[in-house]
Amino acid sequence: MTTKEQVLKKYFGYTQFRKGQEILIDSILEGKDTFGVMPTGAGKSICYQVPALLLEGITLVISPLISLMKDQVQSLNQAGIHAAYLNSSLTTNQYYKALEYAKQGVYKIIYVAPERLLTGEFLSFAKSVTISMISIDEAHCISQWGQDFRPSYLKIIDFVKQLEKRPIISAFTATATKEVKDDIISILNLNNPTTLTTGFDRDNLFYSVQTVKDKFKIVEQYLEENPDKSGIIYCLTRKTVDEVYEKLLKKKIAVTKYHAGLSDRERKENQDAFIYDTAPIMVATNAFGMGIDKSNVRFVIHYNMPKNIESYYQEAGRAGRDGEASECILLYSPQDVVMNQFFIDHNNENNELEDEQLQLIKERDYERLKKMTYYCMTNECLRDYVLRYFGEYGSNYCGKCANCLTQFETIDVTDIARNIIGCVEQVRQRFGMTTIIDTVHGSNNSRIRQYQLTENKYYNTLSGVPIYRLRQIMNHLILQEYLTVTNDEYPVVKLTNESQRILYGEEILHMKVAKEQERVKEKKEKKAKKLLGVMNGDLFEILRKVRMEIAKEEHMPPYIIFSDKALKDMSAKMPMNRDEFLQVSGVGEVKCEKYGRRFMEVIIEYKDKEKK
Ligand code: ADP
Ligand code: ZN
């Protein structure tokens, strides 16, 4: 009998299951419903692909996106597994042919779009074969709480009901707030499922936030310092995408772009250029990326702050799916907040919803935006901040984000805090952050005059503290819940139960602030470089070229031939024969037969040169 370990090595070329994979796979093999919540890149696909190969009949994989299906099916076929997809990208002819093969039992794994499930042809096919498992990818699409609700996902339930024998159901997602998780289990009717949430941390990702005026300059510098790396630059609007794209093009950078304003054809061509590494830099709106699992994306730059942490984590998470060190950089400017507010106010996407529901969604969106903005402000560990958002507790200090690397110094801000809180109290909690800061700072603008804030007891008490520092401290007070901000269109600063403790001197308030900027920046950069590690040079580059040649010949994206990780392992192990080649992580039998010789030829050549 074949074991799951044998399948893993033979087809996928890996020797060990990752944390969590084994539990989920065993559960499926025992015939139980199974629910896996794992971050992007954790290896969810293997959790259903391995059991699919061991179970008797066919596994149907429900997936929301055409590009994702194509990618997965290509990968499977490359690995020697018979798989197909059924979606609207096929012509009628191709569709019937695929169904015909499917009936004959050619495919072990079939990817299908949810819209197809209840069509006559598909139902009759499904009833005529043995379906041992239905696997639902991106399962959060079934929940209205999630941010990608897709009504077509609700068809899954009816579909399952129509089958004579209920297959095992397994569901996977990377989004995991509690509401969404509960929804998935109850709507899909999972039967006492084995549920596993693996940690959300992606320890190969390095996070940083930069508040800058000239964002383009930062991007330009980064690309200069990191040539040959593939990455995504996310912008909030199509207009910004076009601008950044044009500017990069002028600098002769191999760049492409993606947004909903392009024609289907352009979108597809550009996406392919990115995937096939002919244009390794992608400038895009958030329309790009769902279902792209290009594994060698080395950085994701957010040119604007996205609308919430969920989106940020998902988009930034497209970096480093192969587990290699990668960077996630967010370029923040206050204007981003304003733009996002505008989008929330003008979001009429779901026009089936009642006013009341819309209002609720809006409030929730505002709340999410607030948390996102805090991320850009916080002095604390960025990784920790995100993990806390998803309900996990990190260690407060990861040592692998820009904040942790910046040397902090602790200053006593009690006195400043007392003045700020005092001012909030004095104005009877009626004003927003900017007005409070302007008051204590002693600004003289029309708003201050209009409300006669110059008469305020705290007016001008903190004129010696720079505005940015006041803002930092105020953010700190909000993060620490000494103050809170309402959720309205014009957010107002309010006191909390804790405010009095500062006001009446019961508590000393310390805060960590970044030390003198320049010196720290240098150190930070050095440290960051070290952490990111330098690839072991020449051979890796040579292997990349071979991979590119093969990719072109076979019309496949390079990473489907081998991931960066596999090439890196190859350049470290320098295999010289078949057995050694099979030891390389990511090399299965089929790929060893197909490509082994070509890679080993250049490795042998390289070794010879080295000796000389
Ligand atoms: P997800 O769907 O969770 O985002 P994927 O299934 O695309 O992640 O897997 C991410 C990467 O990790 C892929 O390149 C995959 O081949 C690799 N991978 C998955 N499982 C293992 C394993 N057990 N050992 C090594 N690499 C793995
Ligand atoms: Zn950190």
Side-chain angles (χ1 to χ4, degrees), residues 28-46:
I28 293 174
L29 291 175
E30 280 167 25
K32 292 185 65 181
D33 282 357
T34 300
F35 181 29
V37 184
M38 297 158 121
T40 314
K44 288 185 282 294
S45 347
I46 277 182

Side-chain angles (χ1 to χ4, degrees), residues 380-384 396-405:
E380 293 172 51
C381 171
L382 294 172
R383 171 171 272 106
D384 209 58
N396 240 342
Y397 177 89
C398 75
K400 275 195 287 185
C401 74
N403 282 5
C404 284
L405 289 192

Side-chain angles (χ1 to χ4, degrees), residues 175-229:
T175 332
T177 48
K178 187 173 178 326
E179 294 89 348
V180 177
K181 280 199 270 191
D182 291 349
D183 250 12
I184 292 174
I185 294 179
S186 79
I187 299 177
L188 280 177
N189 234 329
L190 297 184
N191 181 6
N192 191 16
T194 307
T195 302
L196 182 94
T197 307
T198 65
F200 259 65
D201 188 22
R202 304 265 314 275
D203 67 359
N204 61 321
L205 300 185
F206 179 91
Y207 299 100
S208 67
V209 177
Q210 299 183 31
T211 307
V212 285
K213 283 232 171 70
D214 192 347
K215 294 182 173 182
F216 186 75
K217 200 158 137 208
I218 300 282
V219 169
E220 202 185 344
Q221 258 170 16
Y222 185 84
L223 296 183
E224 218 165 82
E225 285 162 17
N226 296 277
D228 299 329
K229 286 190 183 169

Side-chain angles (χ1 to χ4, degrees), residues 4-66:
K4 59 179 191 285
E5 284 83 9
Q6 284 165 342
V7 171
L8 185 70
K9 181 64 210 163
K10 180 169 179 201
Y11 294 105
F12 302 94
Y14 302 130
T15 41
Q16 260 185 345
F17 286 104
R18 287 191 184 145
K19 243 199 305 183
Q21 284 178 332
E22 195 156 11
I23 297 174
L24 295 171
I25 291 172
D26 285 344
S27 156
I28 293 174
L29 291 175
E30 280 167 25
K32 292 185 65 181
D33 282 357
T34 300
F35 181 29
V37 184
M38 297 158 121
T40 314
K44 288 185 282 294
S45 347
I46 277 182
C47 296
Y48 56 79
Q49 288 165 350
V50 167
L53 294 174
L54 289 163
L55 293 170
E56 208 175 294
I58 295 171
T59 288
L60 294 181
V61 183
I62 319 254
S63 172
L65 284 159
I66 292 174

Side-chain angles (χ1 to χ4, degrees), residues 57-94:
I58 295 171
T59 288
L60 294 181
V61 183
I62 319 254
S63 172
L65 284 159
I66 292 174
S67 57
L68 182 113
M69 295 190 203
K70 187 177 159 205
D71 215 77
Q72 293 267 348
V73 168
Q74 264 184 346
S75 285
L76 289 172
N77 285 323
Q78 274 287 314
I81 298 164
H82 295 291
Y85 55 85
L86 299 173
N87 60 35
S88 58
S89 76
L90 303 179
T91 61
T92 315
N93 243 339
Q94 288 171 324

Side-chain angles (χ1 to χ4, degrees), residues 334-493:
Q335 186 59 27
D336 297 338
V337 182
V338 180
M339 243 194 300
N340 274 302
Q341 281 173 336
F342 178 86
F343 287 146
I344 294 176
D345 290 338
H346 296 82
N347 174 14
N348 298 322
E349 257 174 45
N350 254 332
N351 46 16
E352 302 152 41
L353 298 180
E354 315 265 321
D355 277 358
E356 216 167 293
Q357 274 176 311
L358 271 175
Q359 192 53 34
L360 205 71
I361 289 182
K362 205 157 143 180
E363 271 165 34
R364 224 181 275 148
D365 287 349
Y366 262 110
E367 187 59 31
R368 285 175 172 157
L369 177 60
K370 207 158 90 180
K371 299 265 169 61
M372 182 73 243
T373 313
Y374 291 168
Y375 174 83
C376 301
M377 307 286 176
T378 182
N379 258 347
E380 293 172 51
C381 171
L382 294 172
R383 171 171 272 106
D384 209 58
Y385 184 95
V386 173
L387 291 180
R388 247 181 302 152
Y389 182 84
F390 289 117
E392 274 182 42
Y393 287 89
S395 57
N396 240 342
Y397 177 89
C398 75
K400 275 195 287 185
C401 74
N403 282 5
C404 284
L405 289 192
T406 323
Q407 290 180 2
F408 288 111
E409 62 184 349
T410 306
I411 57 170
D412 184 335
V413 292
T414 319
D415 195 46
I416 298 175
R418 203 173 290 151
N419 277 281
I420 292 176
I421 295 174
C423 183
V424 172
E425 192 185 40
Q426 266 259 307
V427 300
R428 284 180 285 138
Q429 315 183 47
R430 285 177 308 153
F431 292 103
M433 202 156 159
T434 312
T435 308
I436 300 291
I437 289 175
D438 282 348
T439 306
V440 293
H441 190 66
S443 308
N444 182 11
N445 54 35
S446 59
R447 201 173 163 74
I448 295 282
R449 286 194 299 271
Q450 184 188 349
Y451 293 101
Q452 288 159 10
L453 291 168
T454 47
E455 309 293 317
N456 189 289
K457 181 173 154 199
Y458 293 91
Y459 182 75
N460 208 23
T461 50
L462 298 175
S463 57
V465 186
I467 298 242
Y468 80 88
R469 182 49 55 84
L470 288 174
R471 192 164 276 275
Q472 265 180 351
I473 294 172
M474 217 159 156
N475 279 326
H476 187 67
L477 290 172
I478 293 166
L479 282 173
Q480 303 294 321
E481 298 181 353
Y482 289 109
L483 286 176
T484 180
V485 180
T486 60
N487 241 333
D488 312 317
E489 199 176 352
Y490 300 105
V492 168
V493 184

